[in-house]
Amino acid sequence: MERLPTPSGERPNESDASPESAYTATATINEQGIVTEWSEGARRLLGYVHSEVVGQAAARLLAEDVGESARPDAAGRERWSGTVELRHRDGHRLQRGLLAHRRTATGSVTEWLVVSAVAGEARTPGGEALREWVFRQFPDILAVFDADLRLVRANAGMERALSFTEDQMRGLRLPEIAPHPVSEEAETKMRLALESGEQQHVEAYIHPTGVSAERGWSTSLAPLKDSGGRVLAVCLAAHSRSGEYLARQRMLLLNDADARIGTTSDIRRTAQELADVAVPQLADFAAVDLLDATHHGGGPPPVPSAGPITMGRAAVRSVLEDSPASWLAAGERTLYPALSPVAQCLAQGHGALYEGSDPAIVQWAAQDPQAAWIREVGTHSVMVVPMRARGITLGVAFFSRHQCQEPFGSDDLWLAEELTAKAAVSIHNSRRSTRERTTTMTLQRSLLPHALPDQAALEIASRYLPSATQAGVGGDWFDVIGLSGARVALVVGDVVGHGMRASATMGRLRTAVRTLADVDLPPDELLTHLDDLVIHLSADEGGTENAAETAGGIGTTCLYAVYDPVSRRCTLARAGHPPPAVVTPDGAVRFLDVPAGPPLGLGGLPFETFETELPEGSLLALYTDGLLEARDHDIDEALDRMFQALARPAQTLDTVCDRVLAAMLTHRPDDDIALLIARTRALHADRVAAWDLASDPAIVAQARKSVTDQLTTWGLDDAAFITELTVSELVTNAIRYGQPPIQLRLIHADSTLICEVFDSSNTSPHMRRARTFDEGGRGLLLVAQLAQRWGIRHALIGKTVWAEQSLSGN
């Protein structure tokens, strides 16, 4: 090739003095035809240096007399190729083949990359020698069969695949070289290629006797024609499909693992699923050992960096039906010495491959009696993979081969790590779910009442059943609250959601209900305040993670009922909660027609009270909706079952609870269930005494005498002193600061004596600290010291100041 002239002012490139080597000339031209880049190869080809071309029109590089028809036309194309006559810097012309690609430079700006290959001095031989080398050294199988379908040529790939030399195979037909039905099919396709002159394919895989299908080859058969188009022979070309086959098997195994590993929250079952998937598809033997998870807050202990380690066998699987006795069964524990590959794997935190003759395996099998089986069964290949999930080491998976003769490879280790990772994630999630469920149940049970209060108004029994689903424990709850005047409040609620948040919200609401009940709010007003609280909780949690899941308790339902044993009346209100059922002493069962009211947290909607009289001995059943949501029967059938269970006579309320749950549930519930059963009692007229008092200070002495006489009638003379002082102070305050009418009431409720004074004033008395020489101001302080409890109960008109004293210590 001619020497390129050196531009003026430049020294010749010393490399130009040596024999020419091949190079590529490249240039970049924008959409306006301006050269934007110019390579060293382009300089060598046309002689122009970078500064002489960049920024100039590319058309300057064309020969001057080239017509428009001879100029490159790439309009609307993504690439262009052709021969162009170019002008060298020294003026002479040269014909060059160009290849141009349209490409996006930055943003939407496009440009053309133009390239041209410049041949150098020949460095490889040509002709027959090169063609022979290609045929002989081609990595896949190549063979040529003549018109009689007898082999005439075979390359090294064919010789290696069939374990014969070309001389040994020459003159034989394919079925004679590799007897197999697929060889017969291939020969039929070769004959068809000879006759039709068209390429044929064999969908099956030709392989020699004794070689498995995954070691076969995919085969194509092409007719070989002379210059006149006459078919003279057939070329057989085959490529090994072992990698393809194994890759497909790995994908199938991974797909199988997705469906079979982690089907339940049972940790041992998940470990066994891993072993079952691995054997025999991947290994002849598989074992899964887990670290102890009973310490460190339910998580596994830290893995020691060195030294022996104890683990529990969670799963084992072998292709052998009768495993040696030294193989640990699931549930047993084993100590791995520090020198064992298992201990090393856990310490290093990554999987490893071992041959049976590896010193680590030999030494382990020799020193550890529990590893003697490795030699007994002839194990020749081992994989050890740590089970890790979210940075936590859970255990180790052990795989080995003794029947399959091929050792484990890097692809097998990758597959084992993928399978082990799937099982590890499932086991980790199961453990975490178990810990969270245990924590949530502990929290919830700590928030539920441990013992129902002693009171005279109701006999009560309760049940709480957590759900059996993966969603976790919900926010169902109940409570029994003693109120003034021997009354009792019953509460049942259901917080939306499951888990720790639901339990925490339930605890907040239960505390709020107790606080509101303590000031004796009517049921509808109590639910209104509770509704406001839920709205505030929702606003507070609006920006927290997973707030939408619980929404601060929006949608929570609640039923609040207050029973008065003196009047035997029950006042109720509900916020989206199922209505309570009542069983009268004659066995009739019905729902109380309590207005539904909206669930808590919606705001702006009223709650209504419902009041009814309950005969003594009536049963009142409060429950959450989980009781009626059984999956194997509809709501009407569920209600019939509940009514029948409630109507059946029973000696104890615990029996009633058990009957209701047995009738409603055929399995562990899908949702939490809270059940509260109460039997009403009554305080008859002989246990209640009331007096209307005049608003006159002189009446205080008469009130004290009336109370003393009543206590004598009840046989409570020992309580007379405290009761007289209490009555004296409460009546005096009512006369001095209240308004008529004034009423005094005394209630004897089992072990409690209640004194109540009503007046029509809405002002609330309060304790104050009296100074040394003050003549008053100590009345309520004295009552608070003498009474077990005291308080104020407001009504639409007036208030009642009450005080309770315990009779058990008198």
Side-chain angles (χ1 to χ4, degrees):
M1 184 174 178
E2 62 179 338
R3 290 287 309 277
L4 297 176
T6 302
S8 59
E10 296 184 16
R11 296 182 60 185
N13 192 325
E14 294 182 0
S15 64
D16 292 343
S18 61
E20 288 289 349
S21 60
Y23 64 90
T24 301
T26 63
T28 302
I29 303 171
N30 63 20
E31 289 288 343
Q32 289 73 39
I34 304 301
V35 178
T36 57
E37 294 181 16
W38 189 254
S39 71
E40 174 61 20
R43 184 202 66 77
R44 294 177 61 184
L45 178 64
L46 296 182
Y48 296 99
V49 297
H50 184 274
S51 60
E52 294 175 314
V53 178
V54 173
Q56 303 296 321
R60 292 181 54 207
L61 303 175
L62 300 175
E64 294 179 355
D65 57 351
V66 173
E68 290 295 331
S69 60
R71 292 175 180 267
D73 182 12
R77 303 184 188 180
E78 292 299 319
R79 65 180 182 175
W80 177 91
S81 63
T83 301
V84 175
E85 188 171 3
L86 302 174
R87 180 172 57 84
H88 194 276
R89 186 176 183 275
D90 64 5
H92 79 273
R93 301 184 181 192
L94 64 160
Q95 295 278 342
R96 299 305 306 169
L98 302 182
L99 178 61
H101 303 273
R102 185 192 297 270
R103 67 181 185 181
T104 301
T106 55
S108 60
V109 178
T110 58
E111 61 186 12
W112 285 91
L113 174 65
V114 183
V115 297
S116 178
V118 182
E121 183 180 278
R123 295 180 179 272
T124 56
E128 292 299 324
L130 180 59
R131 285 190 285 272
E132 179 65 19
W133 292 348
V134 171
F135 183 86
R136 290 293 301 168
Q137 298 178 27
F138 191 72
D140 286 339
I141 295 174
L142 288 177
V144 178
F145 293 82
D146 62 16
D148 294 328
L149 301 182
R150 295 187 178 278
L151 186 138
V152 293
R153 292 298 309 276
N155 74 341
M158 184 76 163
E159 291 176 333
R160 288 192 303 270
L162 299 183
S163 301
F164 294 121
T165 66
E166 182 183 65
D167 291 339
Q168 290 173 319
M169 294 184 288
R170 185 179 293 113
L172 297 177
R173 294 168 43 240
L174 183 59
E176 297 168 342
I177 301 171
H180 193 277
V182 177
S183 298
E184 301 284 350
E185 180 186 355
E187 189 177 65
T188 301
K189 292 292 183 69
M190 282 194 286
R191 185 172 292 107
L192 182 59
L194 284 171
E195 296 172 354
S196 65
E198 297 179 356
Q199 184 173 340
Q200 305 295 319
H201 298 278
V202 179
E203 298 299 332
Y205 302 93
I206 300 173
H207 53 87
T209 303
V211 177
S212 62
E214 59 268 26
R215 294 300 175 194
W217 299 271
S218 176
T219 307
S220 297
L221 305 163
L224 301 179
K225 304 176 182 178
D226 61 12
S227 58
R230 184 176 55 170
V231 179
L232 301 179
V234 177
C235 177
L236 181 151
H239 70 276
S240 174
R241 63 176 294 272
S242 59
E244 172 191 341
Y245 176 86
L246 293 176
R248 185 168 67 252
Q249 292 300 106
R250 285 193 293 268
M251 293 306 299
L252 291 175
L253 188 57
L254 287 175
N255 290 337
D256 187 35
D258 286 336
R260 294 177 57 188
I261 296 178
T263 58
T264 70
S265 60
D266 187 303
I267 293 175
R268 285 192 176 180
R269 180 169 177 178
T270 300
Q272 189 62 53
E273 289 167 347
L274 168 61
D276 292 343
V277 167
V279 177
Q281 291 92 333
L282 176 63
D284 297 329
F285 172 79
V288 179
D289 296 323
L290 298 178
L291 295 165
D292 190 359
T294 60
H295 307 291
H296 304 275
V303 179
S305 57
I309 187 167
T310 301
M311 289 191 290
R313 178 61 49 87
V316 63
R317 176 71 184 272
S318 172
V319 294
L320 300 179
E321 294 183 1
D322 298 324
S323 301
S326 58
W327 291 5
L328 291 175
E332 298 182 22
R333 300 187 65 77
T334 182
L335 174 65
Y336 287 101
L339 58 86
S340 68
V342 173
Q344 292 297 317
C345 168
L346 290 175
Q348 297 169 4
H350 59 77
L353 293 172
Y354 299 90
E355 295 181 358
S357 59
D358 192 292
I361 298 294
V362 174
Q363 186 179 10
W364 178 35
Q367 297 186 13
D368 186 359
Q370 292 184 341
W373 64 269
I374 295 177
R375 292 179 299 179
E376 294 175 13
V377 300
T379 299
H380 63 83
S381 190
V382 168
M383 285 190 301
V384 186
V385 180
M387 301 190 71
R388 292 179 57 83
R390 293 177 174 85
I392 299 175
T393 300
L394 306 175
V396 69
F398 182 94
F399 307 93
S400 67
R401 285 178 177 173
H402 53 271
Q403 285 190 354
C404 177
Q405 296 305 309
E406 185 170 352
F408 290 123
S410 57
D411 288 341
D412 297 314
L413 179 59
W414 173 86
L415 180 58
E417 290 173 339
E418 289 294 310
L419 297 177
T420 302
K422 292 179 184 294
V425 170
S426 180
I427 291 173
H428 174 74
N429 290 340
S430 296
R431 283 180 170 173
R432 184 177 64 179
S433 176
T434 300
R435 291 194 300 269
E436 290 179 353
R437 182 180 176 85
T438 301
T439 303
T440 302
M441 289 189 64
T442 302
L443 172 63
Q444 187 159 11
R445 290 190 182 280
S446 69
L447 296 175
L448 292 173
H450 296 278
L452 300 179
D454 293 331
Q455 36 75 38
L458 297 169
E459 177 189 357
I460 297 175
S462 64
R463 294 291 186 273
Y464 173 78
L465 295 180
S467 68
T469 63
Q470 291 294 322
V473 180
D476 292 19
W477 58 286
F478 65 89
D479 207 349
V480 179
I481 307 170
L483 303 177
S484 63
R487 297 169 306 131
V488 176
L490 302 177
V491 194
V492 175
D494 185 357
V495 176
V496 295
H498 295 81
M500 193 74 71
R501 283 180 173 270
S503 294
T505 301
M506 177 268 284
R508 288 175 166 182
L509 296 183
R510 179 171 179 257
T511 301
V513 169
R514 279 190 161 267
T515 302
L516 295 172
D518 196 48
V519 295
D520 270 311
L521 288 181
D524 56 340
E525 291 187 26
L526 184 142
L527 292 182
T528 299
H529 285 284
L530 206 60
D531 185 50
D532 291 338
L533 173 63
V534 171
I535 293 174
H536 290 310
L537 291 178
S538 176
D540 292 342
E541 294 186 0
T544 62
E545 182 182 0
N546 296 329
E549 181 181 334
T550 59
I554 290 180
T556 294
T557 65
C558 183
L559 171 65
Y560 185 79
V562 176
Y563 174 71
D564 186 346
V566 177
S567 64
R568 297 189 296 278
R569 301 196 66 81
C570 184
T571 306
L572 310 94
R574 62 188 178 112
H577 202 84
V582 169
V583 184
T584 55
D586 59 3
V589 186
R590 75 181 192 278
F591 281 126
L592 292 181
D593 191 18
V594 184
L600 299 176
L602 300 184
L605 298 174
F607 300 97
E608 299 181 45
T609 58
F610 174 82
E611 188 172 342
T612 185
E613 183 174 341
L614 298 179
E616 183 177 7
S618 299
L619 286 185
L620 188 62
L622 287 71
Y623 52 89
T624 55
D625 57 5
L627 184 67
L628 303 178
E629 293 179 352
R631 69 169 76 106
D632 53 355
H633 48 257
D634 59 27
I635 185 64
D636 291 333
E637 183 180 355
L639 294 177
D640 289 341
R641 290 185 178 187
M642 183 175 71
F643 279 14
Q644 291 173 7
L646 288 172
R648 290 176 59 187
Q651 292 184 346
T652 66
L653 294 188
D654 286 323
T655 301
V656 176
C657 289
D658 294 338
R659 282 179 180 175
V660 170
L661 295 178
M664 303 297 290
L665 303 177
T666 58
H667 48 75
R668 285 285 302 277
D670 296 331
D671 192 8
D672 291 11
I673 294 176
L675 176 64
L676 193 62
I677 304 292
R679 178 180 285 125
T680 62
R681 297 168 177 161
L683 292 177
H684 298 285
D686 60 341
R687 307 294 294 273
V688 180
W691 300 272
D692 293 325
L693 304 178
S695 184
D696 183 355
I699 202 67
V700 175
Q702 180 61 42
R704 287 199 299 267
K705 183 177 185 306
S706 300
V707 167
T708 302
D709 293 342
Q710 184 63 53
L711 293 178
T712 300
T713 302
W714 287 340
L716 301 176
D717 292 326
D718 291 342
F721 176 71
I722 294 177
T723 305
E724 283 187 42
L725 288 176
T726 301
V727 168
S728 179
E729 295 299 333
L730 296 185
V731 172
T732 299
N733 281 346
I735 295 173
R736 182 176 299 175
Y737 304 109
Q739 296 178 2
I742 299 173
Q743 185 183 62
L744 169 64
R745 186 169 72 160
L746 208 60
I747 303 174
H748 180 202
D750 293 340
S751 61
T752 302
L753 183 64
I754 304 168
C755 177
E756 297 182 341
V757 175
F758 168 83
D759 74 89
S760 59
S761 171
N762 288 319
T763 58
S764 297
H766 59 277
M767 287 190 297
R768 62 184 179 89
R769 182 179 297 276
R771 290 187 292 271
T772 303
F773 298 103
D774 287 350
E775 296 182 1
R778 299 179 178 84
L780 286 181
L781 179 61
L782 181 62
V783 170
Q785 297 300 314
L786 296 176
Q788 183 180 18
R789 295 195 310 155
W790 79 280
I792 304 166
R793 182 172 70 246
H794 287 274
L796 292 177
I797 300 177
K799 65 180 181 297
T800 299
V801 182
W802 55 271
E804 293 182 5
Q805 57 177 304
S806 174
L807 300 177
S808 58
N810 295 336

